[in-house]
Every structure is written in C-alpha cells, then in structure tokens.
Amino acid sequence: MKKFFYLFAVLALVSLSACNDNDETVNKQTARMTINNRTVDGDNVVFSQGIAKVELDYTNMLVQFTTDYKDINGQSHTITTPQMKLNLQGATVYKFDVAGSGDFTGIEQLTGYIDFATGAMWFSFEEGSAKVYSSTHLLYNYTTTMVTNPDNNNHFSHDQSAYMFALNAKGDTCTMTISNFIPNMSGSVQAGQIQYSNLTVTPTTTGYTITADEAESSYRGFYTITDLDIELDTQGLIIGGSFKCSDLDFTLDGRMFPLTK
C-alpha cells in the first residue's frame, strides 16, 4: 500500500501552526502555508510565492483563507475569502468555491480542492482578463510509476511512490522529494524518502516544467538521476514525465487529487 505524505507531515514542511478553539463545539485548525501562484493572461505568465493563512472549521466543514499573489503587471495583492463550504468529492478530497465575487473586489469564480489525506490544496480565480492558479507545494500522491529496463524492455508499474516539488521563492528551481522510491526492478522500496535539489523550474501557461540533465540524491553517491523531464500540466493538477536512474527508465503518470481532471 502506498505510503502517504500525511496531512500534518506536509503542513509541517510549509510552516504549520495549528490550534483547537476553546469552544468544545467548534474544532478549528489554522495553518500558514507556502502558496505558489501563476497569473496567466494569454501567453504571459507571472510567478509569485506567498503565505496563505488557512482556517479549517471541522465542525461545520468550512474553509477560509487569506493569501498573497501578484497580478500580470507584477503588483502584489492580498485577498481574504469568505467562509466556503467543503463539499466531499470522494474519499478525503473536498471542493470549495465562490460563484461570484464574494467579499473581495475584482476577484471572480474562485474554486479549489483540498485533500485531507495529503494536505495538498489547489485553487484558481479570475482577475479581469487574467486567471490565477495557486497551490501549496506541488504534491502528486496519486501517481503510477513505470520502471523499464531498456536493454530487454522488461518493465513493471507500481503506485507506491509519491512526488512533491517544493519551489523556491523565484519559481525557477525546486527540490523534488520522492516517497517510497523503488530504483530497480525488484519492486521493493529502497528509500523511504529521497530528495533531489536545484532542479530547473519553468512556469508555463498550463503549469510547470521540471528539468535536469543530472541530479545527485540526498543519498550521496547513490540513486543519481539523469534526463529528468517532468510536466506538471492541466494547471498543475496532472503530472507526467520521465527520468533515468541506474540505467533504467522511469515514467510518471498521475495527479494531485484522485477525482479532478
């Protein structure tokens, strides 16, 4: 069974601060989370990174957050959403939305998802002719990895590994963390968690590309990867791509949430 990046573990990576309300009838959690934004207008893309203060009300199943982003001209803005109902989409994934402008001027059609199993949150909204796509660190827990030996074409697929990309403040490099890494044809996990730093990131109109000619792992001297080419597409909701390790080919196909397209 796949090892999940559990909610509290992920939020700890992005500066968690949580508490329960003193009122026993209300169970609330507040977290400060790194948010990656892409503002897209035609072929133009502006990346920005900020901090979102997210409040979850588990008693009434509501979410509300304050977050930062930059518009297409590079001007910074802060918005605070109204409380939004969390609607179960299946398993641990909830959807939230505001059909109109709500309580924030100039913002329309806010919609998003949060996965209580992983802590991943993604949302989008419109600002004039531009659209803003925002997410926590890019986490793909629902991913199939195919491992192929190019010498004889022997291969196998598994869903044990999860992939997370922590972008830097400029959005031009990242650290990739792989949970449950299987680097050979044995099918057994060799690294519970492994990291690759200083990968090149390119924000695009549809997501991000992650590339590297070669990257050394946090297991120094072991599991070096080459020819990394990963596409985070469909506004970051979908992952696809490949890399090489130990003379084997690895191909990824998955998504941030199990029920979104």
Side-chain angles (χ1 to χ4, degrees):
M1 184 176 181
K2 179 184 291 188
K3 176 182 177 182
F4 287 95
F5 285 97
Y6 286 102
L7 174 62
F8 291 111
V10 173
L11 294 185
L13 291 174
V14 292
S15 303
L16 172 71
S17 60
C19 64
N20 289 330
D21 195 283
N22 290 329
D23 185 347
E24 293 182 358
T25 64
V26 179
N27 184 18
K28 293 182 178 180
Q29 182 184 61
T30 300
R32 296 184 182 276
M33 305 164 67
T34 298
I35 293 291
N36 301 293
N37 310 294
R38 286 176 307 105
T39 302
V40 179
D41 192 351
D43 294 330
N44 299 316
V45 181
V46 172
F47 174 85
S48 60
Q49 189 177 86
I51 298 294
K53 179 183 177 182
V54 182
E55 184 175 275
L56 293 166
D57 178 343
Y58 296 106
T59 301
N60 300 300
M61 293 308 293
L62 300 171
V63 63
Q64 182 178 28
F65 55 85
T66 297
T67 189
D68 308 315
Y69 76 98
K70 289 184 178 180
D71 64 26
I72 202 65
N73 298 311
Q75 297 297 310
S76 297
H77 300 270
T78 300
I79 61 170
T80 298
T81 73
Q83 288 188 319
M84 296 171 286
K85 187 67 178 177
L86 291 166
N87 298 300
L88 184 64
Q89 300 296 293
T92 58
V93 178
Y94 291 78
K95 183 179 181 180
F96 54 86
D97 59 69
V98 179
S101 60
D103 296 330
F104 29 80
T105 303
I107 301 304
E108 300 283 346
Q109 304 300 323
L110 187 148
T111 185
Y113 298 89
I114 186 169
D115 188 341
F116 281 7
T118 66
M121 184 172 76
W122 177 100
F123 57 92
S124 67
F125 56 87
E126 296 176 3
E127 182 200 52
S129 61
K131 193 151 188 179
V132 181
Y133 301 95
S134 305
S135 71
T136 53
H137 287 323
L138 297 150
L139 171 60
Y140 302 88
N141 202 75
Y142 309 96
T143 300
T144 299
T145 303
M146 177 176 286
V147 186
T148 303
N149 184 339
D151 292 336
N152 54 24
N153 206 36
N154 287 341
H155 60 274
F156 79 99
S157 296
H158 67 87
D159 63 355
Q160 298 299 299
S161 297
Y163 301 82
M164 184 172 73
F165 304 88
L167 278 59
N168 71 346
K170 294 181 179 180
D172 56 7
T173 66
C174 74
T175 295
M176 177 176 68
T177 301
I178 305 176
S179 173
N180 283 357
F181 186 44
I182 301 175
N184 52 42
M185 299 294 292
S186 71
S188 61
V189 173
Q190 301 296 308
Q193 191 172 94
I194 191 170
Q195 292 185 328
Y196 297 89
S197 301
N198 298 316
L199 308 180
T200 298
V201 177
T202 304
T204 70
T205 58
T206 59
Y208 301 89
T209 58
I210 314 292
T211 57
D213 293 332
E214 182 175 293
E216 186 178 0
S217 79
S218 51
Y219 286 59
R220 298 297 182 184
F222 297 91
Y223 312 131
T224 297
I225 63 174
T226 64
D227 303 290
L228 177 75
D229 187 1
I230 292 176
E231 191 81 17
L232 308 181
D233 206 355
T234 315
Q235 306 309 339
L237 292 171
I238 302 296
I239 184 172
S242 61
F243 60 87
K244 296 179 183 295
C245 181
S246 303
D247 298 320
L248 300 175
D249 296 334
F250 292 73
T251 304
L252 314 180
D253 181 20
R255 55 186 62 228
M256 185 178 292
F257 304 103
L259 298 178
T260 61
K261 297 181 179 180

